[in-house]
Amino acid sequence: FQTICHGDAKLENMMFTGEFAEAGIFDFQYTGKASAAKDVAYCLLFSQHIPRDRQLELVRLYYKTLETNLRELDRGDVLPPREVFEES
């Protein structure tokens, strides 16, 4: 499952509102085509404050949110099974 990825998805390249209701990203120097899981994995790998035992939970939350959004756009057919996403 290829998509456009940020390429440097670390907290230093993200901004959040006070209550984390909205987020924005910047510094698109390494943007390119890659697995949809690349930015998620990169962000978790370089986020020292996220306990390792919560990382799989966050990956699954990301996948569920992505799945919901793609279905709302009638594009649920492009999403790989969760197991494939987690392995990529």
Side-chain angles (χ1 to χ4, degrees):
F1 178 62
Q2 297 284 300
T3 189
I4 297 172
C5 288
H6 181 272
D8 194 16
K10 57 187 177 189
L11 290 178
E12 291 84 354
N13 291 335
M14 299 177 191
M15 297 182 299
F16 302 92
T17 59
E19 297 180 9
F20 296 97
E22 296 180 19
I25 56 176
F26 56 94
D27 186 7
F28 292 88
Q29 179 178 351
Y30 302 109
T31 301
K33 184 174 150 184
S35 166
K38 179 183 176 186
D39 280 343
V40 177
Y42 188 93
C43 183
L44 292 175
L45 181 65
F46 289 100
S47 296
Q48 301 292 329
H49 69 283
I50 300 174
R52 296 277 182 218
D53 60 338
R54 289 220 47 228
Q55 290 183 0
L56 183 57
E57 174 187 347
L58 293 172
V59 169
R60 290 184 173 161
L61 174 62
Y62 176 87
Y63 181 89
K64 183 177 174 115
T65 303
L66 179 62
E67 180 180 38
T68 299
N69 290 330
L70 287 173
R71 289 190 193 286
E72 286 178 7
L73 296 170
D74 291 325
R75 293 306 317 262
D77 59 314
V78 300
L79 190 64
R82 191 187 81 215
E83 295 79 16
V84 173
F85 181 85
E86 289 175 7
E87 292 174 6
S88 61

